[in-house]
Amino acid sequence: METELFVINDIEKDHDKLERAAGLIKNGSLVAFPTETVYGLGANALDGQAVRRIFDVKGRPMDNPLILHIPDMLWLKRYCLDIPPEAYKLAERFWPGPLTMVLKRKSTVPDEVTAGLHTVAVRCPNHKVALRLIRLVGAPVAAPSANISGRPSPTKAGHVLYDLSGKIAGVVDGGSCMVGVESTIVDLSAKPYKILRPGGVTPEQLSEVLGPVGLDSGVLQAPKDSETVKAPGMKYRHYAPKAQVILLMGDIEKAAGFVNRLDRETTGVLCFDEEIPHFKGKYILSYGKRDDYAAQAQKLFHCLRALDEKRVKTIYARCPESSGVGLAVSNRLLKASGYQIVEV
Ligand code: AMP
Ligand code: MG
């Protein structure tokens, strides 16, 4: 299959391209498109057969449910039941934006989307191209990250093409994603409400609306086999480049001393801007200042892919504090590393 590329420079001038892309989705094909978090692989969420294609193409386990993307909160009641008032408060404050809510589902949502769960995840993305595309489709769009399952999520159209060219009908290119990591997921289907995945909306921001909100134990720890995993995606190794990622904890002098003794051809480093002068290797990338979690989130997946292109075998990564958006960055790095940490 030839993958058609729709480059959008101006949403009005390029409206015809978005109409063609929406037409493909309406016909049951898959089209990747930009959101503010990462690129999504879109299918008409009400078409079970189209949704199954997402799992095929990504190699995604069928028990890992998808998020419905909707253009505004008025669509919530079409697909969700027993919506608590807090859901509307959160939507008013954070939509469009990087917040996904898990709510009780209506039977209008195909089983393929929810992996048979009695809940459904819904979000309204903060991206003009995504919103226009969804409105043109006229149905909710199921859209997991547009990468091969397990790989770093795509934050540019080029990343999508690298993973999926020839396997999907189209890619809408709307430039780089601003947030760079996936949405925050909050489970409102049962009390106490809980964050299942950290993202661009922070726990601190959520608690301004919800009061104290819990954090699923899987966010910063490996889930125990015996534990029932609430968000099924949490049990898989995720976001991982081909190289082995190892988190490099501890003081920068010692950390750099440790890495600088290793083979420069096969070792990559992902660190903060201020740390660059300490490292002597060949493949050293920084992903933002130590305290600039938003910059780190935006560049994280791109940097992991860029280090893979250098064919390094191991990537030693410096990890931010787990506060604010730093929590989402640490969570992605932990999962990418399969919980491999060296403490120097
Ligand atoms: P992504 O792979 O980035 O599209 O994220 C989708 C993630 O949302 C899945 O991996 C699940 O962890 C989570 N999710 C989707 N639907 C549900 C649901 N009904 N209940 C709990 N988590 C869900
Ligand atoms: Mg994903």
Side-chain angles (χ1 to χ4, degrees):
M1 167 188 316
E2 186 153 346
T3 301
E4 203 173 336
L5 186 62
F6 304 99
V7 180
I8 310 296
N9 293 311
D10 178 311
I11 187 165
E12 299 309 335
K13 286 192 193 129
D14 294 320
H15 181 83
D16 292 359
K17 295 184 194 169
L18 285 177
E19 257 182 354
R20 286 223 308 283
L24 289 169
I25 295 180
K26 282 201 253 184
N27 286 335
S29 299
L30 304 184
V31 176
F33 63 96
T35 77
E36 82 282 30
T37 59
V38 302
Y39 272 73
L41 180 57
N44 174 357
L46 303 181
D47 175 348
Q49 210 180 335
V51 171
R52 274 202 296 279
R53 278 194 198 111
I54 290 183
F55 289 89
D56 276 1
V57 161
K58 281 182 57 92
R60 183 179 174 104
M62 287 296 291
D63 64 351
N64 190 0
L66 304 178
I67 296 172
L68 290 192
H69 291 72
I70 60 173
D72 64 60
M73 71 171 104
L74 298 176
W75 286 35
L76 270 178
K77 56 182 181 297
R78 299 190 196 173
Y79 310 106
C80 306
L81 274 177
D82 300 340
I83 304 169
E86 289 93 333
Y88 287 105
K89 284 192 199 147
L90 288 175
E92 249 160 47
R93 169 88 191 264
F94 299 111
W95 279 6
L99 178 69
T100 296
M101 299 191 239
V102 173
L103 293 160
K104 291 198 188 120
R105 73 183 268 207
K106 276 191 174 166
S107 56
T108 41
V109 185
D111 281 341
E112 285 87 349
V113 170
T114 66
L117 297 173
H118 66 285
T119 53
V120 62
V122 190
R123 125 172 158 94
C124 175
N126 184 18
H127 198 292
K128 278 189 204 150
V129 171
L131 291 172
R132 174 76 61 96
L133 186 71
I134 299 165
R135 286 201 187 278
L136 288 169
V137 171
V141 174
S145 50
N147 54 299
I148 297 291
S149 208
R151 303 248 313 124
S153 300
T155 54
K156 297 170 193 275
H159 301 158
V160 179
L161 290 169
Y162 184 89
D163 277 16
L164 301 177
S165 183
K167 297 182 180 159
I168 60 178
V171 177
V172 177
D173 182 350
S176 293
C177 301
M178 292 308 293
V179 177
V181 292
E182 300 78 355
S183 57
T184 302
I185 303 180
V186 61
D187 185 358
L188 304 179
S189 70
K191 284 195 170 166
Y193 300 148
K194 206 170 37 157
I195 297 170
L196 302 181
R197 176 175 77 185
V201 173
T202 64
E204 296 84 346
Q205 289 174 310
L206 284 178
S207 58
E208 284 165 22
V209 176
L210 297 177
V213 56
L215 194 60
D216 193 276
S217 61
V219 168
L220 289 175
Q221 290 166 38
K224 295 180 203 85
D225 283 348
S226 54
E227 243 172 62
T228 345
V229 180
K230 187 77 210 231
M234 301 188 320
K235 73 187 175 200
Y236 306 107
R237 180 155 180 248
H238 245 100
Y239 321 116
K242 290 172 190 156
Q244 173 66 55
V245 176
I246 299 177
L247 304 195
L248 182 60
M249 311 298 263
D251 156 87
I252 182 61
E253 302 280 342
K254 283 191 194 151
F258 171 84
V259 172
N260 290 342
R261 286 193 288 275
L262 302 174
D263 176 11
R264 297 195 179 164
E265 293 301 324
T266 58
T267 306
V269 170
L270 179 65
C271 65
F272 306 124
D273 293 354
E274 303 90 324
E275 299 179 339
I276 285 272
H278 293 269
F279 291 100
K280 303 227 176 336
K282 242 172 123 176
Y283 305 120
I284 316 289
L285 287 185
S286 69
Y287 67 137
K289 295 208 175 88
R290 179 193 303 279
D291 297 328
D292 190 349
Y293 306 137
Q296 293 156 21
Q298 212 233 338
K299 293 192 199 139
L300 173 66
F301 291 134
H302 174 71
C303 287
L304 292 178
R305 284 177 178 263
L307 286 168
D308 253 356
E309 275 174 24
K310 303 292 180 199
R311 299 178 193 278
V312 298
K313 290 208 181 91
T314 314
I315 298 170
Y316 286 91
R318 301 285 286 167
C319 191
E321 301 289 319
S322 298
S323 65
V325 178
L327 179 65
V329 176
S330 320
N331 165 264
R332 302 311 188 273
L333 272 174
L334 263 173
K335 306 245 159 185
S337 73
Y339 306 92
Q340 296 236 45
I341 299 172
V342 280
E343 179 95 49
V344 291

